[in-house]
Amino acid sequence: MAQRNRTGSAATAPEAAPAAAGAVPLSARAREEVLHRIVDRRYAQGARLVEREVAEELHMSRVPVREALRALVAEGLLELLPHSGVRVRRLEHADVEHLYEVWEPLAIQASRLAARAVAAGDSEGPAALAGLLRRAEEAAAAGEGAREVAAHTAFHERIVAMARNPLLARTLEQLSWQLRLLFGLRAEPAHMRSQHAEMYRHIAAGDPEAAAACTLLHVRDSRTVALRSLFGDGHPGSTES
């Protein structure tokens, strides 16, 4: 029963306090947590996800988890099951082909623009890239595959940040989780680590076209390795070192 104030009118219940400025909504937090579990393969390809179980694991109510799962279905990382929730979507051959068809020109342009930014005076970007290369090499030497993948992913994302093109950044952001998932599923041969170092050298030297050419080679080799790792595709022109 509503309480009365001194004037006799019904006192309204206090409204919930507004979320603090900058606070991350629970559904967004749930989405990030589920994404991390997909990328690090705690939720394997084809695994069925039960809303109640995911909510218990994340220590959240089912409402934000339901919203997160719906968002990930829309993004293509989960797929609906008839009358039984969702499951982690399996990457098919065509999915990988389509991803690389889109990523290749964007990655090339990102490297080109990053090198131009260095030529125009960006000194912080190359230092950050060098640090990520060191982190990747340390992880590879220690046999820590997940940490190596994280460093290589951060390397590519830093190049995009250096490009200083908001439209390019937003476009690539839409691919970021699919790329992280793909990087985590395939091996990282030594020659591809060397290609990262070559990309860094050309970007740090402020040479846009050399950076673009090196990135083209890297992305195409990455595609070959991904298709071989996931589907056993052979390619006569590319060998692991």
Side-chain angles (χ1 to χ4, degrees):
M1 181 180 294
Q3 294 181 342
R4 299 273 171 178
N5 60 24
R6 292 184 179 179
T7 64
S9 59
T12 57
E15 295 183 0
V24 178
L26 280 177
S27 59
R29 283 175 46 198
R31 174 183 170 276
E32 289 289 314
E33 290 294 337
V34 174
L35 278 170
H36 282 298
R37 285 162 170 75
I38 293 172
V39 169
D40 67 18
R41 287 176 280 180
R42 278 179 282 175
Y43 296 160
Q45 289 193 69
R48 178 170 172 261
L49 301 185
V50 179
E51 180 185 297
R52 172 181 52 79
E53 294 175 355
V54 174
E56 290 175 357
E57 183 179 347
L58 301 183
H59 305 290
M60 293 183 181
S61 70
R62 293 174 66 169
V63 173
V65 169
R66 184 180 307 130
E67 293 174 357
L69 297 181
R70 286 174 179 168
L72 292 172
V73 168
E75 293 174 38
L77 288 169
L78 299 178
E79 59 186 355
L80 288 172
L81 293 172
H83 312 296
S84 59
V86 298
R87 69 181 172 196
V88 180
R89 187 164 176 259
R90 294 184 182 277
L91 281 177
E92 304 294 342
H93 197 288
D95 296 323
V96 178
E97 292 278 15
H98 294 160
L99 183 57
Y100 275 99
E101 285 171 358
V102 175
W103 184 43
E104 180 181 300
L106 297 176
I108 291 168
Q109 186 64 3
S111 289
R112 181 181 285 118
L113 293 176
R116 288 178 184 170
V118 172
D122 179 3
S123 59
E124 294 182 3
L129 291 180
L132 291 167
L133 287 178
R134 286 194 299 272
R135 189 188 306 172
E137 289 295 338
E138 290 168 359
E144 298 177 2
R147 192 159 68 93
E148 183 186 358
V149 168
H152 286 313
T153 301
F155 177 83
H156 284 285
E157 291 174 348
R158 181 66 194 193
I159 291 173
V160 174
M162 290 173 64
R164 300 177 183 175
N165 184 311
L167 180 57
L168 178 67
R170 287 196 299 271
T171 305
L172 277 164
E173 187 177 6
Q174 298 177 40
L175 306 180
S176 63
W177 283 104
Q178 289 94 328
L179 288 169
R180 291 186 196 189
L181 174 60
L182 186 60
F183 294 161
L185 290 172
R186 60 151 175 77
E188 184 79 356
H191 81 276
M192 291 186 63
R193 294 197 293 271
S194 298
Q195 288 170 357
H196 279 156
E198 191 71 12
M199 289 168 62
Y200 159 74
R201 283 193 289 272
H202 292 309
I203 291 172
D207 189 335
E209 296 314 312
C214 187
T215 303
L216 171 62
L217 174 64
H218 175 68
V219 173
R220 291 191 174 174
D221 270 6
S222 176
R223 172 189 172 277
T224 297
V225 170
L227 291 173
R228 182 187 299 142
S229 295
L230 296 176
F231 309 108
D233 286 22
H235 191 289
S238 179
T239 57
E240 296 184 17
S241 58

